[in-house]
Structures are given as structure tokens and as C-alpha cells.
Amino acid sequence: MLPEIAGRQNSPVIEDAAQAIGSKWCGKGIGALGTFGCFSFFPSKNLGGAGDGGMITTNNSQLAQAVRTLRAHGSRRKYHYEVIGMNSRLDALQAAILRVKLRHLDRWTECRRRNADRYRELVVEHGLQERISLPCSGSNEFHVYNQYTIRAPDRDELLVYLGEQGISTEIYYPTPLHLEPAFGYLRYPIGAFPQAEAACREVLSLPIYPELTEEKQRTVVAAIARFYSDQQKSPKTLVNKG
């Protein structure tokens, strides 16, 4: 694993656990695998507040104190600044909201996992296994499904079709990092990372929120099935390129 490799090099591992609160790998909670775990409390996350916020976890007491200092302008006591820090404290209102919602997190997680299982069953029921690829979770993994992201070669057409049926979907994320303007100075051309580019062309996230009912899930998968059925029935237009 990466922490073992990093340990041999005496390098810290920082986990991006923004969307993964409650998930596990080999029975160990995400956020406890590396030196730091970074979680997001943005409203769309599984444990979301009413605005921006987040949390850093670590098992190292010295590093924990350093992070606490950095989040409060680099100060451990009032008007005494040891380092240049920032104002990144979680405000009391957000903390109060999260404290209440935290009590329900395990139940919401189980609802998401139930919905993911049901999607898999419905995809098989409609014979869509060869049309779309589903997210997978191995025996060592405890998935919390912040999103339920499928892959479809004709993703853009499917997205439009589902939207016309009143089904909301989302693309996370439409552009690979090496093609974003911010990283243009690296001069990676289109095709430099073909797997990342293919994923960005094909990914589509379906509704997975805890309150999603079986009836609504059946509506979603039935609409996907109709999309592919209509594709088969539609005559193809041949273009002579000679």
C-alpha cells in the first residue's frame, strides 16, 4: 500500500477523503490510513453542513497541534503568532448542524448502500450489463456512495434523454486535470492521459440520496433501458466519406 511505500521514504501521506466519510479499507476507516485525512462538510457531501467547512484527522499529536495553530492565524494564544496561518476555524453554527446530522450518518450510509445494491439488481433485471458500467466495491472495501457513477460510451445523449424524462443526473467531472486551463503550463496535449480522458467522456452520476425510493430507482433504470431500446429501433444514417 501507499503508506508503506511512503514510510520507507519518510514521506507523509495525505488522504483526500472529502467524499468518503464512513468508508473503510480492510476494516480501517478512511482518514486513518495516512498521516492526514481531509474531509469536506460541503452541503452536498454525505455529512454536509449549511455552508463550507471541513475536518482534518491525524494520529500524530504534534501534527494535530500544528494544524490547530495554522487554522487560527498561526496562533496558540491570543495575539501571539508563531507562524503565518489562516482563518479556517469551523464556525459554531456549522458545528451545531453537523453535530445533529452526525447522529444519522450511519443510517444514511446504509440507505445509500441499499440503493447501490438495488441499482445493480435493476440493471441486471433490464439486461443493461453490456450497455453501462457500474461502480464496484471489493470484499475489502466499504463504499459509502457519495455519488453513484456509471460509465456509458454515449453518455452525453443519455444525459439529455434522462433530463427530458425529468431525471436529474450530474457529471463529476467533465474535464481531466491536465486539460484544465490552470495546468496549461504543463503542456500535456489531448491524448496524454487516455484513461482519464475516456472517464471524463463517459461518467454520469445517478441519484443515490438516502431518501431515494425503490419506485424512483425503477423509474431511473427503466428510462435508461428505453434509451437503449430506442437507439436500436432508430435507423442509422450512413455518411459517404468517399
Side-chain angles (χ1 to χ4, degrees), residues 68-121:
R68 292 190 188 100
T69 302
L70 287 171
R71 71 170 181 172
H73 298 293
S75 172
R76 283 190 289 180
R77 59 187 176 90
K78 193 172 183 179
Y79 301 135
H80 180 77
Y81 305 101
E82 302 169 28
V83 293
I84 297 175
M86 60 202 77
N87 183 13
S88 292
R89 293 164 293 197
L90 186 68
D91 67 70
L93 177 60
Q94 296 299 336
I97 292 169
L98 292 164
R99 186 176 180 182
V100 172
K101 296 181 73 174
L102 182 60
R103 303 169 194 163
H104 306 281
L105 179 61
D106 289 344
R107 178 174 58 83
W108 291 338
T109 296
E110 287 307 313
C111 290
R112 288 175 179 272
R113 288 171 56 81
R114 175 206 64 201
N115 291 343
D117 289 340
R118 186 179 290 145
Y119 268 133
R120 282 189 283 270
E121 294 168 0

Side-chain angles (χ1 to χ4, degrees), residues 41-230:
F41 296 143
F42 187 75
S44 65
K45 301 298 188 287
N46 288 16
L47 180 62
D52 280 320
M55 172 177 70
I56 295 176
T57 57
T58 182
N59 287 323
N60 186 305
S61 59
Q62 288 184 318
L63 293 176
Q65 182 55 62
V67 171
R68 292 190 188 100
T69 302
L70 287 171
R71 71 170 181 172
H73 298 293
S75 172
R76 283 190 289 180
R77 59 187 176 90
K78 193 172 183 179
Y79 301 135
H80 180 77
Y81 305 101
E82 302 169 28
V83 293
I84 297 175
M86 60 202 77
N87 183 13
S88 292
R89 293 164 293 197
L90 186 68
D91 67 70
L93 177 60
Q94 296 299 336
I97 292 169
L98 292 164
R99 186 176 180 182
V100 172
K101 296 181 73 174
L102 182 60
R103 303 169 194 163
H104 306 281
L105 179 61
D106 289 344
R107 178 174 58 83
W108 291 338
T109 296
E110 287 307 313
C111 290
R112 288 175 179 272
R113 288 171 56 81
R114 175 206 64 201
N115 291 343
D117 289 340
R118 186 179 290 145
Y119 268 133
R120 282 189 283 270
E121 294 168 0
L122 291 172
V123 164
V124 172
E125 183 179 312
H126 285 271
L128 293 168
Q129 306 95 304
E130 302 301 319
R131 295 290 194 172
I132 60 177
S133 299
L134 306 182
C136 59
S137 180
S139 58
N140 290 329
E141 302 160 3
F142 185 85
H143 204 317
V144 297
Y145 297 100
N146 181 240
Q147 287 101 29
Y148 190 83
T149 302
I150 65 171
R151 290 182 67 165
D154 35 21
R155 186 272 312 279
D156 291 342
E157 293 86 352
L158 177 59
L159 180 150
V160 171
Y161 181 86
L162 293 177
E164 291 171 347
Q165 310 304 307
I167 298 170
S168 297
T169 58
E170 186 59 80
I171 298 173
Y172 303 96
Y173 296 86
T175 307
L177 288 178
H178 67 286
L179 298 180
E180 289 283 5
F183 296 104
Y185 69 94
L186 295 174
R187 300 185 184 279
Y188 283 114
I190 294 175
F193 296 92
Q195 294 301 322
E197 293 170 31
C200 287
R201 289 193 302 269
E202 297 175 0
V203 293
L204 185 66
S205 294
L206 306 180
I208 191 68
Y209 55 92
E211 298 81 10
L212 185 66
T213 64
E214 179 177 353
E215 179 183 5
K216 289 181 178 179
Q217 283 190 274
R218 288 189 174 276
T219 298
V220 171
V221 179
I224 296 174
R226 286 197 304 273
F227 169 77
Y228 286 109
S229 176
D230 291 347

